[in-house]
Amino acid sequence: MIKGVKLVNIPVTNQDRALSFYTDKLGFRIATDRPFTDKQRWIELSIPGCDVLLTLFCPEGEEDRIGRFFPATFYCDNVQRTHDDLVAKGVEFVSPPKKESWGTFTIFKDPDGNQFLLSTK
């Protein structure tokens, strides 16, 4: 039986720029950073307190995946406070936090234009 999700891939054009964004601005930690091909490294990131790892990698021929809406949602305890903290670090948001009956959410972008939903749990 399936027991969980191990890796979630975020396709990026520039691994160094993406690594800086995800570690310096979002606070993710480097779990793995090693050569993969002559053009890319295999980079895995961890989110403190989370078992799922994120990879910053784009397979050749899959570049059209970059800059789209990401099919997963990040969560936090307080969307407004997290939004304000990330804006202060230079993270670009598509919309301000919005309250709905199911919780509060907002959407932010990474340097490649990938868009991520951030919500309460």
Side-chain angles (χ1 to χ4, degrees):
M1 297 299 289
I2 294 174
K3 300 219 175 192
V5 175
K6 179 179 177 181
L7 297 170
V8 175
N9 183 60
I10 299 173
V12 298
T13 57
N14 182 309
Q15 289 181 302
D16 289 325
R17 180 180 66 186
L19 184 60
S20 176
F21 174 82
Y22 286 95
T23 57
D24 297 342
K25 296 187 186 290
L26 301 187
F28 297 176
R29 296 191 178 125
I30 299 171
T32 303
D33 185 353
R34 65 175 181 247
F36 186 74
T37 68
D38 60 336
K39 296 179 184 175
Q40 294 192 73
R41 305 184 327 257
W42 184 255
I43 300 172
E44 295 175 347
L45 301 177
S46 65
I47 299 172
C50 180
D51 291 334
V52 177
L53 295 172
L54 302 170
T55 61
L56 302 178
F57 181 80
C58 187
E60 280 191 51
E62 299 288 326
E63 292 82 8
D64 63 337
R65 295 174 40 205
I66 298 170
R68 295 187 174 207
F69 190 82
F70 192 71
T73 300
F74 292 113
Y75 70 88
C76 61
D77 292 328
N78 185 312
V79 173
Q80 184 66 57
R81 184 173 45 232
T82 301
H83 168 272
D84 295 346
D85 290 345
L86 293 177
V87 165
K89 292 179 180 180
V91 175
E92 179 184 352
F93 280 79
V94 173
S95 62
K98 183 177 180 184
K99 289 185 181 186
E100 295 289 346
S101 60
W102 51 267
T104 303
F105 76 98
T106 187
I107 298 171
F108 69 93
K109 290 182 177 184
D110 74 1
D112 282 299
N114 296 309
Q115 295 184 31
F116 303 91
L117 190 72
L118 174 66
S119 74
T120 50
K121 190 167 181 181

